[in-house]
Amino acid sequence: MIRAPYPTARFRRTRSSAPLRALVREHELSVNDLIWPVFVCEGRNERQAVASMPGVERRSVDLIVAVAREAAELGIPAICLFPNTDASLKTEACEEAWNPDNLTNRAIRAIRDAGVEIAVMTDIALDPYNALGHDGIVRDGRIVNDETVEALVRMALAQARAGADILGPSDMMDGRIGAIRAALEADGHQDVAIMSYAAKFASAFYGPFRDAVGASGALKGDKKTYQIDPANRNEALACVGRDLSEGADMVMVKPGLPYLDIARAVKDCFGAPTYAYQVSGEYAMIEAAAANGWIDGERVMIESLVAFRRAGCDGVLTYFAPRVARALAG
Ligand code: PBG
């Protein structure tokens, strides 16, 4: 990048007023970039605050329809559903995951029946349904890959049949994208998209989420035998390439801000639709600091999301989605 030496070139010239700053702005955050993750719980007209995620609530299916409507009115293109499954329904075989009438599938149908024009994304992983809290089926203390993939396929088909638009496998088993894609094609769901959590790291930033879906109590041990070591960049890129070659339509990096180098590398290497998940721990840190008056929460929220655009992301899953949409609308 060539620039004349000072004082012929002065970078402050193009920073000197709002109109000039607008003209040279390289990246823009838009409501089109937002996916809003929402938590679903049992009941009617039920709202439950998530203690570790101030401002975030679990809502019953009837209220989720209102959330979908609110999102659509704000121009948010997609919401992503996460169920807080009743502990009595959690088993080691995880059958509730593919129950056509489980919380997620009821929520999808309710949104579809209400005719809300929004893309509905789901999560594919067994942890909300697993008595042992893991994303896969546990046998003799090990998370078994291929048997889990069979369960994930059943789960994916149930979600597609309920009317989901984007399926998000977040489990990190090997071979699940190809298996799910083939099953979707065979079952007549050729237009249901897959957003693979392709580069998902074994992160401590997921803590508040596990509270929100009620999985923290059940989980024994950690997820290091299936999620990627935070130290590994090449492995993350290999996983993204593998998932794209198995039929992922969109790929995701997760967590978000601490992994922006991965997002940039994914976009540059593959040029595919690339997303990042600004996860629960990232949200909680910003909210906690803002609540203490240590940072300006609104400004940090926007700045953090612009950073994803700068790193090459086409969109971001963020709990801030409705607030950002309102802020952008002025
Ligand atoms: C579970 C799943 C997790 C998140 C999304 N899907 C947690 C985990 O892997 O333990 C985390 C989202 C967040 O922290 O906001 N498969």
Side-chain angles (χ1 to χ4, degrees), residues 125 127 135 170 200 206 209-210 223 227 254 279-280 319:
D127 52 330
D135 292 21
S170 71
K200 176 168 177 179
Y206 308 145
F209 172 95
R210 292 178 191 168
K223 301 192 176 184
Q227 300 177 347
K254 178 183 175 196
V279 300
S280 55
Y319 302 99

Side-chain angles (χ1 to χ4, degrees), residues 223-301:
K223 301 192 176 184
K224 290 179 188 170
T225 70
Y226 44 106
Q227 300 177 347
I228 303 171
D229 184 334
N232 292 357
R233 178 175 180 279
N234 289 330
E235 186 184 343
L237 292 178
C239 288
V240 172
R242 188 264 318 265
D243 285 5
L244 285 168
S245 72
E246 287 185 17
D249 304 283
M250 307 148 115
V251 289
M252 191 206 296
V253 174
K254 178 183 175 196
L257 281 193
Y259 295 83
L260 287 185
D261 59 318
I262 308 289
R264 168 48 68 196
V266 167
K267 191 62 179 178
D268 289 347
C269 287
F270 302 104
T274 301
Y275 302 81
Y277 199 141
Q278 182 176 49
V279 300
S280 55
E282 300 175 65
Y283 174 86
M285 290 195 307
I286 293 174
E287 283 300 292
N292 277 293
W294 295 336
I295 58 172
D296 178 333
E298 288 295 298
R299 288 185 55 205
V300 169
M301 167 181 88

